[in-house]
Amino acid sequence: MESMTTTDQSSPASATAQRPARPKRNQAVLEVLGKTRVSPRLLRLTLGGEGYEALNRNRNSDAYVKFLIADPASGLQPPYDMDALREHSPELMPARRTYTVRRWDDEKRRIEVDVVLHGDGEDSGIAARWADEAQPGDLLAMSGAGGGYTPAPETRRHLMLGDHAALPAIAAGLEAMDEDAQGTVLIQLDHDEDRLELEHPAGVEVRWLIGERELLLEAVDQLDLEDHEGLQIFCHVERGITKQLRAKLVKEAGIPREQISISAYWALGRIEDQFQAEKREPIGRIDD
Ligand SMILES: Cc1cc2nc3c(=O)[nH]c(=O)nc-3n(C[C@H](O)[C@H](O)[C@H](O)COP(=O)(O)OP(=O)(O)OC[C@H]3O[C@@H](n4cnc5c(N)ncnc54)[C@H](O)[C@@H]3O)c2cc1C
């Protein structure tokens, strides 16, 4: 009897039958517990419940999840069988959108996510609209969390560069810094009224650049980056600007790439599906 079981488990045929075609991504289903307007164009969602345990809790200050948002007309309820949908009804596949975990609350099993309400009507996006219309009790499936940056305690000087979409990650990063941390944070926003009061170490200067995205490029030109020993950089903005910032930091200032966390958070004129797909093409590459 024992040997039969052993033989069955090791047989290649049964192993193939048990193995899924592609690894399943863990899906957490969280409930909308609350909504707060943090500024005119920033909406905080509090999400929690049983699904919290299925999140890959991590300590990166830029931890992010991927929301899965199905068209309400599809009648689909989370969690979604993505493999079955891909195979049989690809037109019903939920949209995948990336959001920073602004704050974790392990005790209450909740996360907070700050969603930028960009654009109006048709110019807005699936996730921004979904968040705007979400009601307490609504369910949201997500995968993650991933992440890759956290302020290193040995850092001599921090430099954080971001726009509205990166503001949640910057705010979380500032809160994760040591009290005696030093550095500069430059945040570009389209509208003055979306500035926030950020908690930050006294030695870290926070500067708001209100207006066009290019302000960030001009402000970086004014920085003294010659002495970059012990400098740690976080740089996440719109794709076109990210590429130009990379050139300034790596090519012009000669800062070693490993001191910089850099990637685009979104791309002008691209919905996220296209933006993510283009990462495999020359236009989508930040590093050359
Ligand atoms: C690691 C990571 C973390 C992120 N964290 C956050 C976060 O915490 N909060 C947050 O709001 N965003 C965050 N983003 C950006 C967010 O994923 C994108 O903005 C996403 O495109 C929003 O989806 P959507 O469905 O609203 O718009 P989409 O359907 O993807 O896009 C619709 C249109 O809106 C434009 N657009 C998209 N985002 C913006 C924007 N921010 N400003 C102006 N126009 C835009 C697009 O170019 C497109 O033309 C993060 C991205 C990454 C990669």
Side-chain angles (χ1 to χ4, degrees):
M1 186 67 184
E2 248 180 6
S3 70
M4 257 182 71
T5 311
T6 311
T7 313
D8 273 349
Q9 280 179 345
S10 60
S11 104
S14 91
T16 310
Q18 283 165 13
R19 196 181 305 136
R22 63 170 82 207
K24 289 215 186 278
R25 290 191 198 174
N26 228 3
Q27 251 179 65
V29 180
L30 271 67
E31 187 182 334
V32 177
L33 302 173
K35 269 172 78 168
T36 316
R37 212 37 104 101
V38 183
S39 78
R41 291 167 200 82
L42 196 67
L43 185 70
R44 177 160 298 160
L45 296 175
T46 305
L47 306 161
E50 300 279 304
Y52 186 86
E53 312 300 334
L55 288 171
N56 172 36
R57 170 74 160 107
N58 68 67
R59 303 283 160 187
N60 294 298
S61 59
D62 71 342
Y64 60 85
V65 286
K66 301 261 178 189
F67 286 1
L68 296 173
I69 304 174
D71 181 346
S74 70
L76 292 171
Q77 292 299 320
Y80 307 110
D81 187 337
M82 301 294 270
D83 289 336
L85 286 170
R86 195 176 288 108
E87 195 173 335
H88 304 295
S89 329
E91 72 288 358
L92 298 183
M93 287 282 284
R96 207 185 285 273
R97 296 289 186 268
T98 314
Y99 284 92
T100 303
V101 178
R102 170 68 184 85
R103 202 171 273 120
W104 299 86
D105 185 337
D106 294 325
E107 211 169 293
K108 294 190 176 147
R109 299 195 297 176
R110 293 173 174 183
I111 56 170
E112 285 177 355
V113 175
D114 289 354
V115 177
V116 177
L117 301 177
H118 59 88
D120 291 313
E122 289 291 293
D123 286 340
S124 182
I126 289 177
R129 275 199 300 275
W130 179 87
D132 202 21
E133 289 164 13
Q135 295 299 324
D138 286 356
L139 296 178
L140 178 64
M142 64 194 75
S143 61
Y149 166 91
T150 203
E154 66 276 15
T155 299
R156 211 162 57 87
R157 186 157 65 112
H158 291 277
L159 176 61
M160 300 187 91
L161 308 170
D163 58 13
H164 213 173
L167 179 52
I170 289 180
L174 285 167
E175 288 171 15
M177 283 179 193
D178 288 343
E179 240 174 67
D180 59 354
Q182 303 282 320
T184 306
V185 174
L186 302 175
I187 305 164
Q188 179 272 331
L189 294 180
D190 296 349
H191 304 273
D192 194 37
E193 68 233 32
D194 286 312
R195 285 183 201 218
L196 301 180
E197 284 291 330
L198 298 180
E199 216 179 275
H200 60 92
V204 177
E205 183 203 5
V206 176
R207 268 173 36 211
W208 300 91
L209 309 168
I210 309 298
E212 54 195 23
R213 279 181 282 278
E214 286 73 14
L215 287 175
L216 210 42
L217 302 171
E218 293 163 23
V220 167
D221 283 339
Q222 305 305 313
L223 297 174
D224 180 2
L225 297 172
E226 208 167 310
D227 173 14
H228 45 253
E229 210 188 312
L231 180 67
Q232 186 187 13
I233 304 181
F234 176 92
C235 175
H236 297 271
V237 289
E238 191 278 328
R239 188 173 71 191
I241 303 292
T242 308
K243 287 184 190 177
Q244 295 181 66
L245 287 172
R246 187 205 178 272
K248 288 184 186 300
L249 299 170
V250 179
K251 287 209 173 125
E252 290 172 31
I255 302 168
R257 180 64 182 81
E258 53 278 12
Q259 288 176 229
I260 312 173
S261 162
I262 187 165
S263 71
Y265 267 15
W266 62 284
L268 201 58
R270 306 286 201 271
I271 61 167
E272 187 170 334
D273 315 59
Q274 195 181 357
F275 159 65
Q276 295 289 353
E278 283 178 354
K279 286 184 178 171
R280 292 184 287 273
E281 297 171 23
I283 191 176
R285 289 200 195 112
I286 301 302
D287 287 304
D288 44 30

